[in-house]
Amino acid sequence: MLSVDGVTVERERLPVVRDVSLSVEAGAITVLLGANGAGKTTLLEGISGIVDLAAGTISLDGARIDRKEPFRRVAAGLAHVEEGRSVFPELTTTENLLVASGGRAVDEVFEMFPELAERRHVAGGLLSGGEQQMLVLGRALLLRPKALMVDELSQGLAPRVVARLMAAVRELADAGIAVLLVEQFARLALELGRRAYVLRGGEVVYDGGCAELRASDELLESLYLGEVEAGNGARRAG
């Protein structure tokens, strides 16, 4: 559903992401892991068009989108939940949802997150961190995405809130959306995902099944710390 081929992204003329290729299947969660500074957020920003690509192509549902402006990528079916809970703080929960609704009713979001239904008239800036993440996910759902990229959903949240949010992400994937999940809690993400990629120094050093990484803490640690060669030597499995 979402295909990234040979993508390089630069910041201040220095490559941060180098020749990255990955694919995200419809109806499945694909996990993108890596230490801080590995290039995960930059890669997602390149896919969504927040930053320009230096090289490579991006396709969604078989059609290239890398030459489209960011809002046209959204119209094509790409949604990006960015790191940092970007809500409109002075708008109510309902108004935040209406911004992305395209005139559609927002009740489906309240059905997925009853917690938000109880807070529908509360300003976005007064919601808890977990409620704000629910709101951001709800806005993405209203875009009717074919592919959804989620960046560090669990940041700063209690474990029970993280579990609630991850269950919602699982529900979205089960509904047929292709989900690319960046998550700091690797073990949690690997429990949800089918396929995993690990970035180190902006390059893919692992492309394979989540099950293999779940089964070996040593392998995951070696990928993070650099004991497995990057680039063309990326380990592949599954």
Side-chain angles (χ1 to χ4, degrees):
M1 180 63 73
L2 176 64
S3 178
V4 175
D5 186 19
V7 160
T8 294
V9 184
E10 297 178 346
R11 291 189 185 273
E12 298 181 356
R13 299 184 180 182
L14 296 175
V16 177
V17 172
R18 303 175 179 85
D19 193 26
V20 167
S21 297
L22 57 82
S23 60
V24 186
E25 298 178 22
I29 296 174
T30 298
V31 178
L32 180 63
L33 301 174
N36 290 338
K40 306 182 298 298
T41 293
T42 296
L43 176 59
L44 266 56
E45 290 178 343
I47 295 171
S48 64
I50 295 174
V51 296
D52 294 331
L53 304 185
T57 61
I58 303 163
S59 299
L60 180 60
D61 203 15
R64 282 188 64 175
I65 62 170
D66 52 273
R67 295 173 182 170
K68 296 180 181 291
E69 296 171 289
F71 75 93
R72 296 194 184 279
R73 300 186 197 194
V74 173
L78 180 66
H80 182 188
V81 174
E82 299 179 56
E83 186 179 14
R85 304 170 199 157
S86 52
V87 303
F88 297 103
E90 295 182 2
L91 298 183
T92 67
T93 296
T94 299
E95 289 167 342
N96 265 276
L97 294 173
L98 287 172
V99 168
S101 70
R104 292 182 292 271
V106 300
D107 292 345
E108 62 185 296
V109 176
F110 294 140
E111 291 173 6
M112 175 173 279
F113 297 116
E115 301 94 329
L116 291 183
E118 299 174 2
R119 307 274 278 167
R120 68 178 70 208
H121 301 303
V122 176
L126 298 179
L127 299 176
S128 68
E131 290 167 343
Q132 288 182 354
Q133 289 292 46
M134 292 175 194
L135 180 55
V136 173
L137 269 181
R139 280 201 319 229
L141 171 63
L142 291 172
L143 294 172
R144 296 292 186 270
K146 298 175 181 178
L148 171 65
M149 303 188 300
V150 182
D151 193 358
E152 298 288 11
L153 195 64
S154 67
Q155 191 172 57
L157 299 179
R160 65 175 183 81
V161 178
V162 173
R164 174 76 179 88
L165 290 167
M166 291 303 174
V169 172
R170 175 74 270 168
E171 186 175 340
L172 293 174
D174 290 343
I177 297 173
V179 177
L180 180 59
L181 177 65
V182 172
E183 178 51 54
Q184 60 181 326
F185 295 116
R187 302 290 301 181
L188 175 62
L190 292 171
E191 290 291 338
L192 291 172
R194 178 184 302 171
R195 186 173 186 176
Y197 295 86
V198 179
L199 286 185
R200 191 181 70 247
E203 299 180 68
V204 175
V205 294
Y206 178 87
D207 166 7
C210 288
E212 182 181 4
L213 290 183
R214 285 200 309 268
S216 175
D217 290 336
E218 291 79 11
L219 173 59
L220 187 59
E221 182 178 353
S222 70
L223 291 167
Y224 270 62
L225 296 179
E227 296 173 18
V228 176
E229 290 298 319
N232 293 331
R235 178 165 182 165
R236 298 179 181 272

